[in-house]
Amino acid sequence: MAAAKADAGSVRSGMAGTVCPAVDEAGAAGPAMEEAGAAGPVEPEPEVPPPPLPGLQLVRQGAEAHVYRGLFLGRAAVAKLRVPKRYRHPALEERLSRRRTAQEARSLLRCRRAGISAPAVYFVDSVTNSIYLEDIVDSVTVQDHINSVQRSGNCTSSLVPLAEKMGELLARMHDEDLIHGDLTTCNILLRPPTEKLDLVLIDFGLSFISGLPEDKGVDLYVLEKAFLSTHPDTEALFQALLKTYAAASKKSGPVIKRLDEVRLRGRKRSMIG
Amino acid sequence: MQVTHRLELFPEHSVTILLFNRVGNAAALRKKAMEGAIEGALINPVMIVDPFQILVAANKAVHLHKIGKMKTKSLYAEIIFSLSPNNNISDAFKKFGISDSDTAVLIVLVVDREKPVNLEDIASQVEGQQVSLDELPQLTDTDKVKKMYKITPQEEKMNTLLDSIVCRMSTKDVL
């Protein structure tokens, strides 16, 4: 079952399309790959043996992959082991699996080359299409951070610098024509100490390369939906994010325009204009 | 002194890394390695930033060896090839293997649990002094490394050199 087991407050290396477990499952608007444990599965989940890493800890058991933390070659690492989908034709399954893993690895490398913080790839297992990545130790997801700030009663405006940093980061990513594909606040990590606002992007399983303002607009829209539904009363924050994005990105004009158009589409929206 | 690490994903294998300095017979060693007379990969420590880099290369080489998808003819050649950021085998040997004039040599052994390899045997073939791997940073030529792996200046600012290198090594064939 895709019941995401929340690891309270600790490192999150989410996987493609999974609902962030912290606050509200129903709210997530990310491209949901799997129902949040709604309907029961017909057959039990296929066996995905855990990797034999010392200090092994299951972080998340999702639809796309099982995520573990442990020591790999002496370093703190995250292992994403893909879950094979038995209902798919095996040839298709193999091809899809391989392509997703390759996309993820490629995007991570592309990020690094552009100076965008993303985990380093330690090993790509071409047989199981699993990937072993750097573990950003003691990090918190932006989602957890925002929640804790809001819960402790602090004014949301203290989060504006964070939102601006996020806007900057996304601008740099989109300027590299890299579309994340699953932008949510649990796919952005804050390296310790949190005051430094050192952000790391993770989970590039649904990423792809595109220069189209449409794709970038949709990427931002996904984040907007996820942001506003998971974190109440943060419209101003997201506005600040967009403002910085527009200022930092050289190609932002058409993207923001597209974003406005995309907002008019979607569910429960009139198709006029 | 030397570093040994058991590969988590391939528990029957462990990797041992030895570093030798003030080596006098690099040419003879290279010849022996080419003939396959030495049970180990001979690597130029100038291009190595950290033993982790070797472990990642060895892990990948053992993985490919197990599934029969090595690009080179032997496991040790594959380790050297895995260190390279590109897919040119002879270039990898030229840059990461040892040359006749080298005075420092890194030897990597992959030990099978059933067949224990004699460390003294390897060490005796080297006309040099075995030193601790802690001395590796003194031997590394970081400029050469940056050039070889084509590390961009903005990348340098954000990440450690080791992470950038390892990332390139592991995603080389996926790109």
Side-chain angles (χ1 to χ4, degrees):
Chain A
M1 266 280 224
K5 290 177 172 68
D7 211 11
S10 58
V11 177
R12 222 50 76 74
S13 290
M15 69 241 81
T18 322
V19 171
C20 297
V23 181
D24 183 19
E25 304 232 307
M33 280 273 112
E34 169 91 348
E35 82 287 346
V42 178
E43 50 170 54
E45 219 166 55
E47 281 295 304
V48 176
L53 303 181
L56 194 69
Q57 241 188 335
L58 177 65
V59 173
R60 193 91 74 88
Q61 206 167 318
E64 284 291 313
H66 290 358
V67 182
Y68 293 88
R69 254 159 59 215
L71 289 175
F72 179 63
L73 302 177
R75 285 189 148 211
V78 168
K80 286 171 83 162
L81 275 60
R82 258 182 215 280
V83 175
K85 300 283 174 92
R86 294 284 149 82
Y87 57 77
R88 284 191 197 132
H89 188 284
L92 179 61
E93 169 63 29
E94 172 61 31
R95 207 177 285 189
L96 260 174
S97 218
R98 170 154 320 152
R99 183 177 305 175
R100 293 259 173 87
T101 313
Q103 287 284 62
E104 182 154 21
R106 243 178 270 161
S107 300
L108 285 166
L109 184 59
R110 211 172 159 113
C111 266
R112 305 199 119 235
R113 274 211 219 128
I116 299 169
S117 244
V121 180
Y122 291 160
F123 177 50
V124 177
D125 183 339
S126 46
V127 170
T128 55
N129 290 314
S130 313
I131 191 164
Y132 292 76
L133 307 161
E134 172 189 4
D135 182 10
I136 318 285
V137 188
D138 293 332
S139 56
V140 279
T141 61
V142 167
Q143 181 179 71
D144 287 340
H145 180 74
I146 296 180
N147 285 339
S148 74
V149 166
Q150 285 187 318
R151 246 179 289 145
S152 66
N154 281 333
C155 191
T156 329
S157 56
S158 64
L159 291 168
V160 168
L162 172 64
E164 289 176 345
K165 263 285 160 116
M166 283 169 65
E168 233 183 86
L169 184 68
L170 293 177
R172 250 190 299 157
M173 187 183 75
H174 281 176
D175 276 353
E176 289 294 313
D177 288 347
L178 186 63
I179 312 293
H180 186 278
D182 188 16
L183 278 176
T184 64
T185 47
C186 59
N187 281 340
I188 307 178
L189 303 180
L190 267 165
R191 252 192 249 265
T194 42
E195 308 79 57
K196 270 186 89 185
L197 297 181
D198 194 354
L199 298 172
V200 185
L201 282 172
I202 58 167
D203 196 8
F204 285 81
L206 288 176
S207 62
F208 58 98
I209 311 284
S210 168
L212 296 179
E214 166 76 23
D215 293 320
K216 295 178 187 174
V218 170
D219 215 19
L220 289 175
Y221 183 62
V222 166
L223 179 61
E224 178 171 38
K225 288 306 264 190
F227 207 98
L228 298 179
S229 55
T230 335
H231 306 288
D233 302 322
T234 50
E235 285 83 0
L237 275 187
F238 196 77
Q239 282 307 312
L241 193 159
L242 278 185
K243 204 160 148 234
T244 327
Y245 176 92
S249 162
K250 307 169 196 113
K251 318 172 193 169
S252 59
V255 176
I256 303 291
K257 194 159 160 286
R258 231 14 212 248
L259 173 61
D260 291 333
E261 283 170 36
V262 170
R263 281 201 194 106
L264 292 174
R265 291 185 227 147
R267 301 167 69 205
K268 304 172 190 168
R269 295 231 168 264
S270 79
M271 282 306 285
I272 304 168
Chain B
M1 184 71 106
Q2 63 266 11
V3 165
T4 301
H5 189 96
R6 209 173 98 198
L7 294 177
E8 292 85 0
L9 303 178
F10 313 104
E12 337 72 70
H13 297 289
S14 49
V15 180
T16 303
I17 310 174
L18 306 107
L19 180 60
F20 293 90
N21 209 345
R22 293 174 276 284
V23 173
N25 62 338
L29 285 173
R30 190 169 79 86
K31 219 168 147 237
K32 275 197 192 168
M34 298 255 277
E35 290 161 5
I38 294 192
E39 272 293 305
L42 300 182
I43 295 172
N44 189 347
V46 150
M47 299 299 287
I48 308 299
V49 171
D50 187 285
F52 182 68
Q53 191 182 346
I54 305 270
L55 290 178
V56 169
N59 183 76
K60 188 171 178 190
V62 170
H63 167 73
L64 291 173
H65 177 70
K66 288 224 138 170
I67 59 175
K69 292 251 171 86
M70 288 200 301
K71 296 267 170 70
T72 59
K73 299 269 177 62
S74 77
L75 177 63
Y76 292 117
E78 192 72 22
I79 295 179
I80 298 184
F81 177 57
S82 301
L83 284 168
S84 171
N86 60 48
N87 286 303
N88 188 324
I89 300 179
S90 44
D91 183 60
F93 271 92
K94 251 193 288 179
K95 299 276 164 59
F96 293 91
I98 59 169
S99 54
D100 294 344
S101 55
D102 283 346
T103 53
V105 168
L106 228 157
I107 301 191
V108 182
L109 309 164
V110 176
V111 180
D112 218 359
R113 254 254 243 111
E114 286 105 61
K115 292 192 297 166
V117 174
N118 200 332
L119 285 179
E120 282 85 49
D121 188 38
I122 306 279
S124 61
Q125 295 186 56
V126 180
E127 272 171 35
Q129 194 187 9
Q130 192 189 350
V131 295
S132 161
L133 267 127
D134 299 331
E135 292 194 24
L136 180 59
Q138 301 163 27
L139 297 167
T140 317
D141 184 341
T142 24
D143 288 330
K144 243 185 167 179
V145 169
K146 283 187 210 164
K147 209 168 154 212
M148 178 75 200
Y149 287 100
K150 300 207 184 79
I151 312 288
T152 60
Q154 60 254 46
E155 205 178 334
E156 260 188 85
K157 265 192 289 166
M158 302 293 305
N159 314 288
T160 64
L161 186 57
L162 179 60
D163 280 336
S164 311
I165 292 173
V166 163
C167 210
R168 277 169 175 68
M169 281 166 54
S170 50
T171 56
K172 171 169 83 170
D173 41 359
V174 164
L175 251 47

